[in-house]
Amino acid sequence: MMNKCISLLATLLISSCTVLYFDKPMPEKADLLATFPAYLPGLYEIQEEPLAEGFEIEHSVIGKYVKEFLRLEPAENNTKMVVLAESRILVKDLPQIRAALAKTQAEGAILDFTVTDHLIYYETSKFLEDGKPQKGGQYITLNKDGDYLIIAQSTHPGYIFDLGQKTQTEFEDGGPSAMTYGIYQETDSVKTQTRGMVSKSGVDALYFNLQDTPDKWMLIYIAKVTPTDLLLLHSANIEEDTLKANAAYYNAVTPFRKDGDNYVISPDNQQLGILLSDQKLFKRLRLHRISN
């Protein structure tokens, strides 16, 4: 099983195992972004590059049929962008899920199961509670959306990018367990972390510089590669083994200064372009828009 440092959404947009910092917002002398472009909003399926040879992700019985999505939703006259994560199952995969659960039941790993368009439940155990026999299991609830079934428990906010306030707000699990004011009885609570942000634009490209310290900036780079597809790179998601194995090459592009477990660089625009076009340095994610 491949060991992932952090969750999928965090892998996309926040600090990971090794961070490549820039000592200033990039690129230099680029236009500041005032509003988000019209091509950005939508519902995107996350399409990762193939895993390295010898690695595989261990799936649960249902997990191999789950697809991960990001929803980019504008607000406040396109000066804010909300990023939400959700997981979906294709309706056409329900027969295969039923067959997989039936096989798992036959092997004795589960006791029973039920699959509908709105519920997947499987019974896993019988136990005593206060001297009375009880049954237990696991379930997910589903909401139909066209050819997909949205896993209700999976939908959660990730980030708000605010061009007006020049900030990125990150949502984290936790937060106060009770509030004196709630907008609804079942309201979820979260903690948030806010970073300063400098946002710039190029030709079919966006650059979001997130400040950790006055001279340490992470970079999120988003490029429009087709009318429906985006390429996303994050400087908090570099392939450190690739960097170490090719240190002479990368240091010839621009010096990489070691800073604890991380690195700091100061490239010009040409050097930045070389690094962003490199196929091995950054984890490259393709986002395919399936709807607006």
Side-chain angles (χ1 to χ4, degrees):
M1 175 179 138
M2 182 172 128
N3 181 24
K4 291 192 172 183
C5 295
I6 44 178
S7 69
L8 178 60
L9 185 58
T11 298
L12 292 173
L13 296 175
I14 67 171
S15 299
S16 182
C17 303
T18 301
V19 181
L20 178 59
Y21 286 110
F22 296 80
D23 66 354
K24 57 186 176 297
M26 299 299 297
E28 299 178 290
K29 299 180 181 178
D31 293 334
L32 293 175
L33 187 65
T35 58
F36 289 98
Y39 68 76
L40 194 60
L43 177 66
Y44 293 86
E45 182 180 354
I46 300 168
Q47 299 176 335
E48 299 187 61
E49 289 192 338
L51 298 175
E53 185 177 351
F55 286 89
E56 61 180 14
I57 297 176
E58 181 178 330
H59 290 291
S60 65
V61 175
I62 295 173
K64 63 189 266 186
Y65 298 102
V66 175
K67 300 179 182 296
E68 305 295 342
F69 289 81
L70 289 181
R71 185 182 295 277
L72 307 184
E73 189 171 32
E76 307 300 334
N77 297 317
N78 284 324
T79 63
K80 288 184 179 181
M81 187 66 66
V82 179
V83 181
L84 300 107
E86 62 184 49
S87 302
R88 293 177 170 225
I89 296 171
L90 283 165
V91 175
K92 69 179 183 64
D93 285 339
L94 281 183
Q96 288 93 323
I97 290 173
R98 288 190 182 95
L101 288 170
K103 180 175 181 291
T104 304
Q105 182 184 14
E107 293 169 348
I110 61 176
L111 303 177
D112 196 7
F113 69 91
T114 301
V115 177
T116 75
D117 285 350
H118 295 91
L119 176 72
I120 297 176
Y121 167 74
Y122 51 93
E123 184 180 309
T124 58
S125 62
K126 296 181 179 180
F127 58 95
L128 292 178
E129 185 176 279
D130 296 329
K132 298 178 181 179
Q134 300 289 335
K135 295 180 180 180
Q138 296 179 324
Y139 74 92
I140 56 175
T141 52
L142 307 168
N143 298 317
K144 193 169 183 180
D145 181 26
D147 294 332
Y148 291 90
L149 299 168
I150 304 170
I151 299 176
Q153 293 94 325
S154 73
T155 304
H156 61 278
Y159 308 89
I160 296 177
F161 291 78
D162 190 330
L163 300 179
Q165 297 295 323
K166 299 180 180 179
T167 59
Q168 181 221 46
T169 298
E170 172 193 342
F171 293 84
E172 301 176 349
D173 291 338
S177 58
M179 296 188 298
T180 56
Y181 172 77
I183 56 176
Y184 181 62
Q185 184 178 358
E186 301 299 327
T187 300
D188 288 329
S189 298
V190 297
K191 295 185 294 185
T192 60
Q193 177 183 349
T194 299
R195 291 185 174 96
M197 181 176 71
V198 175
S199 306
K200 299 187 178 187
S201 62
V203 179
D204 287 337
L206 303 173
Y207 305 82
F208 300 99
N209 296 271
L210 307 177
Q211 187 176 34
D212 263 9
T213 67
D215 59 352
K216 288 183 182 178
W217 298 77
M218 294 183 293
L219 176 65
I220 296 174
Y221 170 73
I222 299 176
K224 179 184 176 184
V225 292
T226 73
T228 59
D229 285 24
L230 303 175
L231 175 67
L232 189 150
L233 309 180
H234 196 318
S235 72
N237 245 334
I238 65 169
E239 301 287 357
E240 187 176 19
D241 290 343
T242 298
L243 176 57
K244 288 180 177 179
N246 300 276
Y249 166 76
Y250 290 117
N251 277 283
V253 176
T254 188
F256 279 64
R257 176 170 59 86
K258 198 79 167 74
D259 183 71
D261 294 331
N262 305 311
Y263 297 86
V264 181
I265 59 175
S266 182
D268 59 26
N269 286 2
Q270 182 180 7
Q271 294 163 341
L272 175 67
I274 293 172
L275 295 177
L276 292 178
S277 63
D278 189 282
Q279 297 296 307
K280 297 180 179 180
L281 180 60
F282 298 97
K283 182 179 177 69
R284 306 170 73 85
L285 294 173
R286 188 102 169 192
L287 304 181
H288 175 67
R289 188 172 68 236
I290 65 166
S291 69
N292 294 322

